[in-house]
Amino acid sequence: MPSPVIDLRSDTVTKPSAAMRRAMHDAEVGDDVYREDPTVNRLQDRAAEIFGCEAGLYVVSGTMGNQTAIKVLTRHGQEVICEERCHIYNFEMAMVAVFSGVLPRTIRAADGILTWPMIAPYIRARNDHRARTGLIELENTSNLAGGSVYPLEIANDIVDRAHAAGLPVHLDGARIFNASVALGRSVAELTKKFDSVMFCLSKGLGAPVGSLLVGSKEFIEEARIVRKMLGGGMRQAGVLAAAGFVALEEGPPRLHIDHANAKFLAQGLAEIPGIKVDPSKVASNILFFDVSGTGLAAQEISKRLAARGVLANASDPQTIRMVTHLDVDRRGCERALRVLREVVT
Ligand SMILES: *Cc1c(COP(=O)(O)O)cnc(C)c1O
């Protein structure tokens, strides 16, 4: 029998568990645009409770959640300060410009972690020449900076000082539960100062579809309107939310396994000739490694891996990304390392 494919391209590839499928089958539903879907309501209430917020809103995707929040919190012609490698700037189809009419003011930060001293010089108040700052956006964990985690004091300091300057702060917390596991602190503690938080059910938590926005009642009421503008007013969405509920309860307690597997992969990769990676930098479930010492292009290695049943994407000509998740176990990681060694030597 051929061994199953080891898919390390992303934690979005997970398939719904038997428990999720049962919950979907049994879900009570109603029209959610009328706020009458009991399963969606239960998911939103539970998310708000976990994050210590007043309200939650179920959205189709993380992109919809982020873009909804940015629309609510900004006005056309303003700037949004964000890290250069962040998702809202690189992977959301220029929607900050298309939909909210705002200009990303990007800052490059080591490991994707901004600090207030980096941000402060870019904050602009009313001025006759330059666009005004409207919002600061942070990403935790960072995706393209290698799954790095914001130290709580640094994030809190940014939000406190932003608020003192009259600016809201949105958190792209697609993987905030990974940050929570890495830091040993609750998501409520990590996010309590932010004006809005988006997190994904469909990544490490394992749901097939969906993300949530959480925040104040007032923010969520505005976000409902923007979600509808984006075509995100779903009807009997409880069949999806039911799987999300299972993900929210059962996903977080097992994320430490993904982190240990990512560390294991990094340590194994570091021993392969021609591959450069610093295992001490692997803080969650994402790792990037440099393959330039192998004499092969990252794309070529990715192709050779795929032919042997291991999937991992090149992120640039020298770099490959791997992401661990609930559908890849330790044995899968061992096999991925074996195959990679064969492919490059
Ligand atoms: C995946 C991701 C999102 C949202 O992606 P969708 O595919 O739209 O759900 C947002 N931010 C980060 C950092 C992500 O990794």
Side-chain angles (χ1 to χ4, degrees):
M1 215 176 78
S3 353
V5 167
I6 311 291
D7 195 342
L8 295 162
R9 288 173 302 171
S10 175
D11 48 8
T12 56
V13 300
T14 57
K15 309 249 168 72
S17 64
M20 287 178 196
R21 288 178 184 270
R22 264 196 309 278
M24 293 171 82
H25 177 272
D26 296 340
E28 256 188 277
V29 296
D31 190 325
D32 182 50
V33 174
Y34 291 112
R35 310 185 186 214
E36 288 170 3
D37 188 302
T39 307
V40 171
N41 290 339
R42 191 166 64 111
L43 174 64
Q44 291 174 164
D45 291 348
R46 180 69 182 129
E49 181 184 39
I50 290 171
F51 281 79
C53 290
E54 286 175 0
L57 186 70
Y58 186 49
V59 290
V60 172
S61 64
T63 298
M64 183 181 282
N66 280 335
Q67 295 303 327
T68 296
I70 292 165
K71 180 72 177 168
V72 170
L73 297 172
T74 61
R75 292 172 58 184
H76 268 60
Q78 292 183 329
E79 289 189 353
V80 175
I81 294 178
C82 52
E83 206 278 331
E84 188 180 296
R85 286 163 287 178
C86 71
H87 199 276
I88 61 158
Y89 177 55
N90 294 285
F91 294 101
E92 301 192 4
M93 314 303 292
M95 271 292 273
V96 287
V98 174
F99 187 53
S100 294
V102 293
L103 185 71
R105 176 61 58 187
T106 61
I107 302 170
R108 177 86 176 191
D111 300 322
I113 304 297
L114 292 168
T115 62
W116 182 257
M118 294 179 206
I119 293 171
Y122 294 96
I123 298 218
R124 287 197 281 263
R126 203 211 158 280
N127 180 302
D128 284 349
H129 305 280
R130 286 172 171 274
R132 198 163 176 164
T133 306
L135 176 70
I136 295 169
E137 188 262 1
L138 306 183
E139 186 174 304
N140 195 15
T141 64
S142 80
N143 180 343
L144 254 82
S148 54
V149 178
Y150 262 93
L152 181 57
E153 316 70 55
I154 290 182
N156 279 348
D157 181 54
I158 292 172
V159 184
D160 283 341
R161 289 169 191 268
H163 286 168
L167 291 170
V169 188
H170 171 66
L171 178 66
D172 178 347
R175 296 185 181 81
I176 192 64
F177 284 94
N178 294 88
S180 158
V181 166
L183 293 173
R185 294 176 185 257
S186 70
V187 291
E189 201 182 349
L190 298 189
T191 63
K192 68 169 186 275
K193 288 176 184 272
F194 287 84
D195 297 272
S196 57
V197 179
M198 184 286 288
F199 72 94
C200 292
L201 298 166
S202 61
K203 302 225 163 124
L205 304 188
V209 175
S211 293
L212 276 128
L213 272 175
V214 291
S216 69
K217 230 178 157 75
E218 192 188 346
F219 167 78
I220 292 295
E221 281 304 311
E222 289 304 307
R224 276 191 85 86
I225 293 169
V226 175
R227 182 185 68 170
K228 192 68 165 58
M229 292 169 79
L230 289 170
M234 295 189 286
R235 301 296 176 171
Q236 287 71 35
V239 288
L240 298 172
F245 197 89
V246 174
L248 191 52
E249 298 300 334
E250 297 183 357
R254 58 155 306 288
L255 289 176
H256 66 278
I257 300 169
D258 300 342
H259 294 194
N261 282 338
K263 197 66 127 182
F264 173 79
L265 276 175
Q267 284 160 349
L269 288 165
E271 289 169 11
I272 298 178
I275 289 181
K276 257 198 332 234
V277 61
D278 180 354
S280 72
K281 290 252 175 179
V282 177
S284 59
N285 69 326
I286 302 177
L287 63 125
F288 287 82
F289 55 95
D290 183 302
V291 298
S292 45
T294 66
L296 292 168
Q299 207 100 44
E300 176 59 28
I301 293 175
S302 171
K303 233 167 55 194
R304 294 186 187 184
L305 287 173
R308 290 166 172 79
V310 176
L311 305 184
N313 286 336
S315 60
D316 67 43
Q318 291 93 40
T319 315
I320 292 178
R321 185 181 80 154
M322 285 183 170
V323 185
T324 55
H325 53 78
L326 83 170
D327 288 350
V328 175
D329 59 10
R330 182 56 64 96
R331 284 185 49 203
C333 295
E334 287 167 354
R335 202 176 111 219
L337 287 172
R338 262 199 317 276
V339 171
L340 189 73
R341 192 181 274 275
E342 286 166 21
V343 153
V344 301
T345 52

